[in-house]
Amino acid sequence: MSHTEGALGLDELARMVGEPPLAGAPDPRAFDVQPWTPPNALRRDLGLPESLWVVSDRRPTSGPLAPEHVMGVGGASESLATITPREPVAAALDLGCGSGVQALLLGYHADRVVASDISPRALWCTALTCALNDRPVPELVLADLAGPFAPDEFDLVVSDPPFVMAPEARHVYRDSPAPADTLTARLLADIARILRPGGTVVLLTSWLVPDDGDWATRVLGWADAGRWQRLWAALREQVTPEQYVDLWLLDSGQGRDAELRLRWEHHLGAMGAAAIGFGWVLGVTSAGAADEPSGGIWAEDVRSARVLPTGAQVRAEVDRRQGLPGAADLLGRGLRLADDAVLTAVDVGGHAAAADALLLSMASSWRGPQPLDPALSWLFARVTADRDARVGRTITLAELLPACADDTGWEAADVLVSWLSGVRDLLGAGFAALDGGPGPARQ
Ligand SMILES: C[S@@+](CC[C@H](N)C(=O)[O-])C[C@H]1O[C@@H](n2cnc3c(N)ncnc32)[C@H](O)[C@@H]1O
């Protein structure tokens, strides 16, 4: 269907949609139709056209957005679309569908797509977005969060929910209906219920960072580890309360509202927010098999990442985390670096290089160079030297531990603590693999 960008009136809308996707008519304000160029990796993986149409509300040229405003594609929508694993699935849910961009994309790899939102106008936008791109209109459900869905209904749930912590919930497209940052905990519990065993959720979210800076304990505390066989919380950006308020005031066209600014900053202060983190939570529910390999929940600061991971990289990441050996097993194994992993010295101020603080980089990884502590630096320098010298035999970590202690004079117990957590993280990230085990996936 051909179309040009701009306002779309009700008559045209009625002709396009044919059978109304919802009872009643949408409110008569015109919709905004804009072209959207999906990120390259997504285009390639899903076989998308160069450009897709997206229907939303038109941003007013000045003044605040209406409370029921439906946003078009923004940075968060693109992030969620990018990191969502795209293997074929039977049933997928876009929870809080807004313009419908996620539901549209799910239609390329899910047999059944459900799009839900608390806003009827958002459901109209979703129907129109799909119709304008000549794609089937998903099942549209007017719903408050995951409320109406059945246990085990979906293989995949994606959501960029309204997580903004505002003094009052005014804008439906973003303001959290739950106190402070508790929406994510509630969503994780609800979504675990509606996912099939082995199902996946990809959720964008935001959280309060307390004075001590420990964001991870708080976020991982929301996970019911029994249901989530693997759960990965990633910190992508952290802002001060002032930056946070600025960001959202500008977003809703309220940048000049000094009274709201003050009230909002006070609101965050009263909640004990030293900072606010943004990121994603990716969870995989237990497949329920008796011989299921171990999983785990982990938090990671990915602010140094070069780019966002693609859906395929995200899937590889959570797959690698399955069945990682425990401490005793790990000590009995050798390590091997990924083919394109390179160890470099940290350049201190452009003058001297610190020999005991190395960086591990990998050209094919979405992550930036990984700084290694001295104990890990020693280990990876040794593994690299053995690789270069083509030492044929597997040298286990248990053998390397006394060698490291002898060589450096460090306590073996301290070295062990560093190795056990650091090596598992680097295995999960694909920078290294266990010798004799399956090779690290290309990133
Ligand atoms: C940030 S927008 C995300 C839109 C779209 N999925 C995207 O990726 O661009 C959040 C959406 O959640 C919807 N929403 C707000 N409160 C909700 C609730 N209680 N239940 C379901 N959806 C809700 C809003 O109407 C809005 O469409």
Side-chain angles (χ1 to χ4, degrees):
M1 183 178 298
S2 67
H3 199 81
T4 46
E5 66 188 79
L8 182 70
L10 267 180
D11 293 349
E12 196 175 355
L13 178 157
R15 256 188 290 116
M16 281 172 30
V17 179
E19 278 292 299
L22 292 164
D27 69 63
R29 282 173 300 136
F31 291 90
D32 191 27
V33 182
Q34 292 296 329
W36 172 59
T37 307
N40 284 339
L42 199 55
R43 263 187 15 224
R44 187 194 57 223
D45 291 351
L46 292 180
L48 303 175
E50 292 258 318
S51 178
L52 291 164
W53 294 111
V54 176
V55 180
S56 67
D57 273 327
R58 180 165 285 249
R59 254 195 109 82
T61 44
S62 65
L65 298 181
E68 68 280 8
H69 182 88
V70 179
M71 271 288 179
V73 174
S77 325
E78 281 207 4
S79 298
L80 178 59
T82 298
I83 66 174
T84 297
R86 298 291 175 185
E87 56 269 335
V89 290
L93 169 67
D94 173 9
L95 194 158
C97 54
S99 68
V101 64
Q102 312 298 338
L104 172 69
L105 298 173
L106 291 174
Y108 284 84
H109 64 111
D111 295 337
R112 172 180 175 231
V113 179
V114 178
S116 72
D117 206 291
I118 203 167
S119 152
R121 191 162 170 88
L123 296 180
W124 274 99
C125 288
T126 294
L128 290 167
T129 291
C130 294
L132 267 184
N133 291 291
D134 283 333
R135 302 293 300 175
V137 173
E139 292 172 41
L140 302 168
V141 181
L142 190 62
D144 186 2
L145 303 177
F149 300 112
D152 296 355
E153 194 170 345
F154 300 103
D155 304 282
L156 174 65
V157 176
V158 301
S159 187
D160 171 16
F163 55 62
V164 174
M165 297 171 265
E168 64 261 328
R170 174 180 158 84
H171 290 100
V172 70
Y173 78 89
R174 68 159 199 217
D175 293 340
S176 173
D181 56 4
T182 57
L183 179 70
T184 308
R186 179 169 160 196
L187 276 174
L188 282 174
D190 287 355
I191 292 171
R193 178 184 65 82
I194 64 173
L195 275 177
R196 290 188 185 137
T200 299
V201 63
V202 191
L203 196 65
L204 297 189
T205 186
S206 173
W207 52 79
L208 298 171
V209 181
D211 271 340
D212 64 6
D214 178 10
W215 64 275
T217 304
R218 181 179 184 84
V219 175
L220 293 180
W222 294 334
D224 172 346
R227 294 181 192 173
W228 297 110
Q229 204 258 347
R230 281 159 284 160
L231 192 122
W232 175 23
L235 168 66
R236 216 187 144 205
E237 196 186 347
Q238 189 166 297
V239 296
T240 64
E242 294 73 24
Q243 289 169 326
Y244 184 82
V245 173
D246 253 359
L247 171 77
W248 294 118
L249 284 177
L250 280 178
D251 194 57
S252 54
Q254 293 171 291
R256 297 200 176 144
D257 192 335
E259 184 274 327
L260 178 57
R261 179 184 303 272
L262 268 182
R263 205 149 44 85
W264 202 330
E265 286 177 2
H266 179 75
H267 177 68
L268 292 173
M271 293 190 292
I276 295 97
F278 294 90
W280 70 77
V281 175
L282 188 129
V284 181
T285 52
S286 167
D291 58 351
E292 189 169 39
S294 63
I297 61 173
W298 68 102
E300 183 180 3
D301 183 344
V302 297
R303 283 177 289 174
S304 64
R306 291 188 298 113
V307 288
L308 276 177
T310 62
Q313 288 171 324
V314 164
R315 177 60 73 202
E317 191 87 19
V318 289
D319 283 353
R320 278 194 300 265
R321 285 277 175 166
Q322 198 168 31
L324 278 184
D329 287 348
L330 196 58
L331 280 176
R333 306 289 296 270
L335 276 185
R336 139 172 95 76
L337 283 175
D339 291 345
D340 62 340
V342 178
L343 207 55
T344 49
V346 178
D347 195 355
V348 184
H351 299 297
D356 62 354
L358 302 178
L359 288 175
L360 190 56
S361 318
M362 197 164 130
S364 62
S365 178
W366 56 276
R367 289 184 170 86
Q370 302 292 297
L372 305 180
D373 69 21
L376 283 169
S377 295
W378 186 95
L379 175 64
F380 280 91
R382 173 65 188 263
V383 169
T384 309
D386 286 353
R387 176 184 71 178
D388 295 346
R390 297 182 188 279
V391 173
R393 183 176 82 80
T394 296
I395 303 176
T396 65
L397 295 187
E399 287 175 274
L400 290 174
L401 188 60
C404 176
D406 275 356
D407 197 25
T408 60
W410 298 327
E411 287 293 330
D414 295 338
V415 173
L416 188 60
V417 169
S418 153
W419 286 8
L420 288 183
S421 74
V423 168
R424 282 171 62 88
D425 285 343
L426 290 164
L427 289 171
F431 281 76
L434 292 170
D435 211 8
R442 300 288 294 180
Q443 298 276 298

